[in-house]
């Protein structure tokens, strides 16, 4: 904001009440508590500094703050009243969304595979919301860590996008196996993915005595 | 009645097959669990399991893991002879087997394995022959080779083949030089000395007095038998002995020096008594 006049300017910001609009999102909203009228606009948008004096040619930064509220799109008009001068309008619009994601499969069954071979399966993490979130893979629960690989182990997914996660496993021995690992999306509790299968091998017998 | 009898035998045949199959199932499962145990030990023993990956898993982890070792012992084998043993292998799993013996070690050995590479379909059986062919001048000793049998995408096994190479031999008890001295004997009289032929080797010893070869003697004009050996042949079990009587009946007053060649079967050496 710059004072381009020859005299000091006193200003004050306010919101145009009639112009406050909040539109509900279709998903993830409980309609009862999210009507626009129930939330004061100054809890949604904030302006700093709210008022002040600018000397001629002085430049000041104005910070517009948006506090995202429960998945609702807010539009408002902020007006800067200049004492003895015109009003200036700034249109504000802010949208928010809950972090929302889903995993394509939570149970991976590799079936029978050669015990010393690596096999892989892909799963997808989809961001069904609008907000980018980070995901992280936790392999603490994996018993044989060297024989289960998940790629990538972390990342970010933009709203509406999906990321491929490749799970590679090697049974190591001719026996049934079951492993678990967690996927954490955003701040939500981790989701557990179970991986199971059975190692097999060619079986040979000889009638001679053994050592 | 006959029909009932046939049904019973058929049932018995079915039962026998089932028991046989059951034994195989048990053996297969024991093998599998044992193999899993061996691999677990190897994983825990491995210092940095995180370093194992798809590229080096097979070479590093399973390098020293052998499911089992089979023993093929030829026992006592006489030098110069050839012995064979047949091993039967069966594919009792659901996958085809490609098995190969690592016969590089046998290049300098008297053992041979044929065939050294076999493919077996599920349920198929094969025979592998191990041959021990010794040459005549091979020294007597114990020989052993441990051959690796590798199944492609499967377990590794060992085959331990061994033998004790030996030669039948007689020792005359208390008489290492095989000299029997009858000393002074009255002409016309017979003196008999009892000898003990000992077999200290591990195989039977078949011996015989070789009377076809001329008995060395000086001016022996008459064909009268002066020295006699009773019995003139025999078989001595390993670790056992045989009493042999050597008798001398001189007809003239002189010194007699005679040689009795005793031939031992499969031993090129001849003992001259």
């Amino acid at each position: 904001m710059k004072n381009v006049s020859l005299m000091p300017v006193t200003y004050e910001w306010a919101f145009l009440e009639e112009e406050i609009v909040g539109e509900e999102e279709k998903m993830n909203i409980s309609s009862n508590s999210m009507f626009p009228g129930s939330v004061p606009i100054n809890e949604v948008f904030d302006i700093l500094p709210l008022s002040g004096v600018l000397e001629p040619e002085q430049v000041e930064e104005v910070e517009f703050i948006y506090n995202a509220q429960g998945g609702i799109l807010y539009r408002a008009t902020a007006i800067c009243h200049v004492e003895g001068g015109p009003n200036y309008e700034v249109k504000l619009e802010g949208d928010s969304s809950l972090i929302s994601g889903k995993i394509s499969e939570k149970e991976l069954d590799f079936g029978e595979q050669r015990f010393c071979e690596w096999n892989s399966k892909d799963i997808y993490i989809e961001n069904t919301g609008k907000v980018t979130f980070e995901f992280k893979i936790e392999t603490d629960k994996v018993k044989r860590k060297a024989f289960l690989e998940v790629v990538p182990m972390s990342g970010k997914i933009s709203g509406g996008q999906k990321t491929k996660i490749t799970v590679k496993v090697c049974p190591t021995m001719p026996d049934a196996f079951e492993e678990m690992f967690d996927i954490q999306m955003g701040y939500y509790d981790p989701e557990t993915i179970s991986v199971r299968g059975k190692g097999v091998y060619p079986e040979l017998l000889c009638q001679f005595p053994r050592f | 009645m006959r029909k009932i009898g046939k049904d019973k035998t058929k049932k018995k045949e079915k039962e026998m097959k089932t028991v046989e199959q059951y034994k195989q199932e048990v053996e297969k499962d024991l093998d599998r669990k044992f193999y899993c145990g061996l691999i677990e030990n190897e994983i825990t023993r491995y210092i940095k399991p995180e370093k194992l990956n798809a590229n080096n898993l097979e070479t590093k982890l399973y390098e020293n893991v052998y499911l089992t070792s089979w023993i093929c012992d030829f026992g006592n084998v006489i030098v110069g002879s050839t012995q064979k043993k047949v091993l039967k292998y069966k594919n009792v799993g659901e996958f085809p087997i490609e098995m190969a013996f690592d016969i590089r070690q046998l290049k300098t050995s008297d053992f041979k394995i044929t065939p050294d590479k076999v493919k077996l379909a599920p349920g198929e059986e094969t025979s592998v022959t191990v041959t021990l062919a010794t040459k005549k001048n091979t020294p007597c000793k114990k020989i052993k080779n441990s051959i690796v049998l590798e199944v492609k995408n499967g377990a590794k096994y060992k085959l331990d083949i061994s033998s004790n190479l030996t030669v039948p031999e007689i020792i005359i008890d208390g008489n290492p030089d095989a000299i029997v001295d009858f000393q002074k004997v009255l002409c016309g009289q017979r003196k008999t000395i009892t000898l003990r032929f000992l077999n200290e080797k591990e195989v039977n010893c078949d011996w015989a007095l070789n009377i076809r070869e001329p008995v060395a003697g000086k001016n022996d004009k008459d064909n009268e038998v002066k020295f006699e050996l009773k019995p003139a042949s025999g078989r001595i079990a390993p670790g056992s002995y045989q009493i042999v009587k050597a008798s001398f009946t001189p007809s003239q007053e002189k010194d007699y020096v005679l040689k009795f060649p005793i031939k031992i079967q499969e031993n090129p050496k001849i003992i001259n008594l």
Side-chain angles (χ1 to χ4, degrees):
Chain A
M1 223 167 37
K2 186 180 180 183
N3 179 2
V4 294
S5 65
L6 299 169
M7 0 183 321
V9 160
T10 305
Y11 67 89
E12 191 184 5
W13 287 97
F15 290 105
L16 193 63
E17 286 290 331
E18 307 85 63
E19 286 283 313
I20 296 159
V21 175
E23 289 171 13
E24 282 181 33
E25 289 292 323
K26 285 181 184 171
M27 303 180 346
N28 306 322
I29 303 294
S30 60
S31 51
N32 292 332
S33 58
M34 290 297 174
F35 282 143
S38 66
V39 181
I41 195 63
N42 56 359
E43 282 186 18
V44 178
F45 293 109
D46 207 355
I47 306 171
L48 292 171
L50 206 54
S51 61
V53 177
L54 282 179
E55 295 299 320
E57 301 302 312
Q58 188 183 350
V59 177
E60 191 172 69
E61 265 187 15
V62 183
E63 205 175 344
F64 291 89
I65 299 161
Y66 168 55
N67 298 309
Q69 305 270 343
I72 299 179
L73 170 70
Y74 281 95
R75 287 200 196 96
T77 305
I79 297 181
C80 183
H81 297 289
V82 172
E83 201 176 293
N87 291 336
Y88 296 92
E89 284 185 3
V90 174
K91 296 236 183 262
L92 303 173
E93 188 176 306
D95 196 0
S96 68
S97 171
L98 290 171
I99 288 177
S100 166
K102 72 176 181 185
I103 302 167
S104 59
E105 269 177 89
K106 291 193 192 169
E107 306 230 341
L108 290 172
D109 189 354
F110 281 78
E112 287 190 349
Q113 63 181 94
R114 298 269 184 171
F115 73 105
C116 51
E117 284 177 0
W118 288 85
N119 273 353
S120 64
K121 271 188 189 279
D122 296 330
I123 58 172
Y124 291 87
I125 305 177
E126 189 182 346
N127 183 344
T128 50
K130 292 182 183 178
V131 181
T132 300
F133 64 75
E134 285 185 12
F135 71 89
K136 198 177 158 192
I137 310 284
E138 300 278 345
T139 53
D140 296 339
K141 292 178 189 170
V142 176
K143 287 167 259 170
R144 279 191 235 134
K145 289 188 172 35
F147 306 104
L148 186 108
E149 250 178 53
V150 183
V151 175
M153 286 287 281
S154 63
K156 281 185 189 174
I157 312 176
S158 310
Q161 300 295 315
K162 53 182 176 181
T163 296
K164 183 171 80 171
I165 306 288
T166 303
V167 182
K168 284 189 211 167
V169 79
C170 175
T172 326
M173 57 187 74
D175 203 5
F177 64 88
E178 189 168 347
E179 296 283 5
M180 285 187 279
F181 66 92
D182 289 339
I183 297 180
Q184 180 158 25
M185 293 182 290
Y187 43 71
Y188 288 116
D189 286 338
E191 307 252 8
T192 302
I193 312 295
S194 74
V195 179
R196 60 173 68 92
K198 188 178 177 189
V200 288
Y201 79 131
E203 293 160 298
L204 184 68
L205 287 182
C206 177
Q207 98 285 15
F208 258 61
R210 298 178 188 221
F211 182 71
Chain B
M1 291 295 286
R2 279 186 190 175
K3 280 187 184 175
I4 293 168
K6 274 188 184 173
D7 285 341
K8 276 188 181 174
T9 48
K10 275 187 185 173
K11 271 186 186 173
K12 275 187 183 174
E13 282 173 9
K14 277 188 184 174
E15 281 173 8
M16 281 174 67
K17 280 185 184 173
T18 310
V19 167
E20 194 57 47
Q21 283 176 340
Y22 184 69
K23 277 186 185 174
Q24 271 184 10
E25 292 293 321
V26 170
E27 200 178 342
K28 263 181 9 177
D29 211 36
L30 284 174
D31 267 357
R32 189 183 59 77
K33 289 194 168 132
F34 183 64
Y35 193 45
C36 291
L38 289 176
I39 297 171
E40 282 269 20
N41 288 343
E42 196 65 14
I43 292 174
T44 51
R45 203 181 64 84
Y46 208 82
I47 301 165
K48 286 182 183 172
E50 298 82 47
K51 292 249 170 180
L52 289 169
N53 55 42
N55 295 329
N56 63 21
L57 182 70
E58 222 168 311
T59 46
K60 289 203 173 174
L61 179 62
Y62 305 110
E63 212 171 19
N64 298 318
V65 180
Y66 296 93
L67 204 162
T68 190
S69 299
W70 289 294
I71 300 171
C72 179
D73 187 8
F74 283 81
N76 297 312
V77 169
I78 295 170
V79 163
S81 68
T82 299
Q83 297 283 337
K84 284 185 186 182
K85 278 198 184 279
V86 176
L87 287 92
K88 284 199 179 147
Y89 285 98
K90 188 172 180 185
N91 180 352
V92 291
E94 293 166 8
F95 301 98
I97 284 180
E98 280 183 47
M99 48 190 267
F101 288 92
D102 184 3
I103 53 169
R104 286 174 295 181
Q105 265 190 58
L106 298 180
K107 277 183 185 168
T108 51
S109 161
D110 289 334
F111 291 114
K112 293 281 174 282
I113 298 178
T114 47
D116 60 300
K117 283 182 184 159
V118 186
K119 284 186 184 175
L120 285 175
E124 206 183 324
E125 217 173 296
T126 190
S127 296
V128 171
T129 307
V130 183
T131 310
L132 171 57
T134 55
K135 289 167 197 166
K136 288 201 172 173
N137 297 321
T138 314
C140 295
K141 61 177 178 182
K142 285 190 178 168
I143 51 173
K144 190 175 177 181
N145 281 97
S146 194
I147 310 299
V148 172
L149 165 59
E150 197 162 340
V151 172
K152 193 175 170 186
N153 290 328
K156 285 204 280 196
Y157 307 81
K158 271 191 184 168
L159 179 64
D160 290 332
I161 34 181
S162 57
S163 178
N164 179 31
L165 299 183
T166 186
V167 146
E169 215 173 311
I170 292 176
I171 297 172
I172 299 171
D173 196 10
N175 208 330
D177 300 324
I179 294 174
V180 181
D181 186 0
F182 284 90
Q183 295 174 335
K184 291 183 184 173
V185 181
L186 278 174
C187 293
Q189 287 202 337
R190 171 183 282 188
K191 186 171 184 183
T192 305
I193 288 182
T194 307
L195 302 167
R196 257 171 133 224
F197 280 13
L198 288 175
N199 179 5
E200 288 184 337
K201 291 284 179 169
E202 308 90 342
V203 288
N204 284 339
C205 183
D206 291 325
W207 64 274
L209 177 64
N210 199 343
I211 33 179
R212 281 187 204 167
E213 287 183 22
V215 174
K218 291 178 185 177
N219 303 318
D220 204 4
K221 282 177 191 172
D222 50 63
N223 292 323
E224 202 182 314
V225 175
K226 306 274 192 299
F227 283 102
E228 211 180 344
L229 211 60
K230 266 190 184 172
S233 67
R235 166 177 277 196
I236 313 174
S240 197
Y241 65 90
Q242 187 171 19
I243 302 287
V244 174
K245 292 188 177 174
S247 53
F248 170 47
T249 317
S251 55
Q252 294 174 24
E253 194 181 319
K254 65 167 186 171
D255 285 330
Y256 286 86
V257 178
L258 294 168
K259 278 186 184 175
F260 281 72
I262 295 175
K263 179 126 177 50
I264 297 170
Q265 207 168 35
E266 296 183 81
N267 187 341
K269 249 184 8 181
I270 294 177
I271 297 175
N272 288 309
L273 190 59

